[in-house]
Amino acid sequence: MTAKASSIVVLTGAGISKESGLDTFRDKGGVWSKFSIEEVATPEAFERDPHKVNEFYNARRSQLVQGDIAPNPAHEALVRLEAEWPGEVLVVTQNVDDLHDRAGQKNLIHMHGELLKVRCTGCESVRRWTDPVTTATPCPSCGQPGGLRPSVVWFGEMPFAMNRITAALATCGRFISVGTSGAVYPAAGFVRDAQLAGAHTTELNLELSEGSSYFDERRHGPAAEIVPAYVDELLRRM
Ligand code: APR
């Protein structure tokens, strides 16, 4: 097996965490049917009304730390893939939850940031954070109040680690997309980047996504069922 053929990039989205009890964004009843992106998920929204933005992220953060949210068999299957596959497995997640981390995924990029981290807009320090944030919360590093923001990527901001992701896509032999609608770029374009690089591409999603037609192979169903089955198949065939 060549290095290229043996490396795998897995892109995950909100659908992989659905069966753990977290809402997706664009499905019926999803997060963006209850909140407006323009009011809670842009840098302009934070400038205009930091209280409202903080409240939105405080609620989602407390669900993660207090709720009975846990990784599901799809997260666990990707950990098994990383442990048993002979080549590199890189999981690039759009999710800001920590379920891949809790499952034990090691080679992991949170391209849209992490809900359990805050960044100070004054001194730029980033740290783990599980409590509510208010406009009066002082930054533990520089002491300035009002500057803490969730360490997530808002609409109009650049995702994290794009150089590393681009390099991995250019050299992977296989690209697998799990539980994402393919509605948000640059992640939605990864399947074509991988294909241009000669990778085999597979979509694992509840239903046809916006980008389904770009994939060489498609399997549809709940992630907690189809991801473990697909990983078993890959490991058997190797
Ligand atoms: N198993 C597999 N897939 C599922 C499941 C499930 N149990 N439930 C839903 N899905 C699929 C849906 O069919 C949909 O295609 O997951 C996808 C979720 O799509 P979105 O809600 O658009 O979430 P995502 O693709 O992760 O969104 C991308 O948009 O708002 C931003 O920053 C946010 O990272 C997010 C980005």
Side-chain angles (χ1 to χ4, degrees):
M1 203 184 281
T2 64
K4 180 177 164 72
S6 70
S7 68
I8 301 179
V9 175
V10 184
L11 171 70
T12 67
I16 196 170
S17 297
K18 176 70 184 169
E19 287 149 278
S20 294
L22 296 176
D23 282 338
T24 60
F25 293 95
R26 294 174 184 77
D27 290 308
K28 198 162 173 277
V31 176
W32 297 146
S33 70
K34 298 174 193 145
F35 298 90
S36 142
I37 289 176
E38 291 73 25
E39 286 179 18
V40 297
T42 67
E44 294 77 19
F46 190 62
E47 266 175 44
R48 208 170 42 236
D49 193 345
H51 175 71
K52 186 175 209 166
V53 174
N54 281 333
E55 290 289 286
F56 173 73
Y57 287 98
N58 286 343
R60 302 185 65 213
R61 192 182 301 111
S62 87
Q63 185 188 18
L64 261 193
V65 294
Q66 286 162 19
D68 49 0
I69 304 289
N72 69 56
H75 299 100
E76 286 155 8
L78 294 181
V79 174
R80 198 165 74 246
L81 184 65
E82 179 178 77
E84 295 178 26
W85 186 253
E88 183 185 354
V89 174
L90 172 66
V91 172
V92 178
T93 188
Q94 299 168 87
N95 299 343
V96 295
D97 67 51
D98 64 341
L99 296 181
H100 284 301
D101 309 73
R102 278 200 245 168
Q105 202 76 45
K106 293 193 185 78
N107 202 14
L108 172 67
I109 293 175
H110 279 277
M111 68 176 288
H112 290 170
E114 293 170 76
L115 195 50
L116 297 186
K117 284 186 181 166
V118 291
R119 175 161 67 78
C120 174
T121 51
C123 72
E124 295 297 326
S125 67
V126 176
R127 62 175 62 218
R128 185 175 158 83
W129 198 273
T130 53
D131 295 328
V133 176
T134 74
T135 50
T137 309
C139 166
S141 300
C142 70
Q144 282 302 313
L148 293 185
R149 58 160 282 179
S151 183
V152 302
V153 175
W154 285 324
F155 286 88
E157 295 184 319
M158 180 65 96
F160 291 119
M162 282 308 295
N163 287 346
R164 215 182 129 202
I165 296 170
T166 305
L169 289 168
T171 53
C172 71
R174 199 173 271 280
F175 173 78
I176 305 168
S177 169
V178 182
T180 175
S181 60
V184 176
Y185 283 83
F190 290 173
V191 57
R192 274 161 286 170
D193 296 337
Q195 230 155 20
L196 278 177
H200 178 84
T201 58
T202 305
E203 171 173 85
L204 305 176
N205 204 50
L206 187 62
E207 55 197 12
L208 287 174
S209 73
E210 288 184 28
S212 279
S213 60
Y214 293 114
F215 289 86
D216 299 319
E217 191 185 0
R218 288 168 285 275
R219 310 232 178 140
H220 296 130
E225 289 172 23
I226 62 175
V227 177
Y230 190 70
V231 165
D232 284 348
E233 222 177 284
L234 282 181
L235 293 175
R236 249 196 330 267
R237 273 198 258 143
M238 119 197 143

